[in-house]
Amino acid sequence: MNVIEGVVATPGARVAIAIARFNHFINDSLLEGAVDALKRIGQVGDDDITVVWVPGAYELPLAVRALADSGRYDAVVALGTVIRGGTAHFEYVAGECSSGLSQVAVSSTIPVAFGVLTTESIEQAIERAGTKAGNKGAEAALTALEMINVLKAIKA
């Protein structure tokens, strides 16, 4: 029986992080967690990490598509936060962001990791950006690294 499991350490991997400026007070923590995980656990060097800021979560799929298609990266991590408000805006932004990133992920030849929070409140977002519920930015970065190695093993 052959079993393929990826490891997280990926020295030399080139990783792009696309991150939304909107809700930056949460996203900054997601970015810190992602970069820390890439460097400390994944053994990715500073020079191999590229951070691309976009206006909001709605713009993430286009940026992630451009990064994935560039051929310069081994994986792309999408980070952002959409917090429910009093209007239907949340559903549109969260749904289109998720759908767009999913389309990029399945049509890309490199891993696309989803680190976009969709929460009911600011408190939930804070919990998922480094307090009670861990840091979803770090989790997305580790997922990207593991998938780089899984895909390498499948191709080997």
Side-chain angles (χ1 to χ4, degrees):
M1 171 172 68
N2 291 324
V3 176
I4 295 175
E5 291 181 308
V7 295
V8 177
T10 316
R14 298 162 301 149
V15 180
I17 301 170
I19 182 167
R21 271 194 318 272
F22 197 81
N23 289 322
H24 71 86
F25 59 96
I26 300 294
N27 299 343
D28 289 349
S29 294
L30 295 175
L31 179 61
E32 286 176 23
V35 170
D36 179 61
L38 290 172
K39 291 166 63 173
R40 192 171 44 82
I41 300 170
Q43 302 170 13
V44 177
D46 259 340
D47 291 340
D48 291 323
I49 301 170
T50 300
V51 177
V52 177
W53 289 90
V54 300
Y58 188 83
E59 291 76 28
L60 283 170
L62 177 59
V64 169
R65 162 67 71 205
L67 290 164
D69 289 349
S70 74
R72 296 173 44 200
Y73 304 101
D74 298 307
V76 181
V77 179
L79 300 177
T81 304
V82 185
I83 300 170
R84 186 179 299 279
T87 68
H89 186 73
F90 171 89
E91 280 82 13
Y92 294 115
V93 173
E96 292 304 317
C97 175
S98 175
S99 176
L101 291 173
S102 177
Q103 288 175 15
V104 175
V106 298
S107 65
S108 179
T109 58
I110 65 169
V112 173
F114 187 86
V116 179
L117 302 178
T118 53
T119 65
E120 297 292 323
S121 66
I122 291 172
E123 293 77 21
Q124 285 180 349
I126 291 168
E127 288 175 4
R128 287 161 179 77
T131 60
K132 293 180 189 175
N135 187 303
K136 300 305 178 187
E139 290 177 20
L142 295 175
T143 296
L145 295 176
E146 184 174 347
M147 286 303 297
I148 289 170
N149 290 318
V150 165
L151 293 175
K152 282 182 185 176
I154 289 170
K155 294 173 185 175

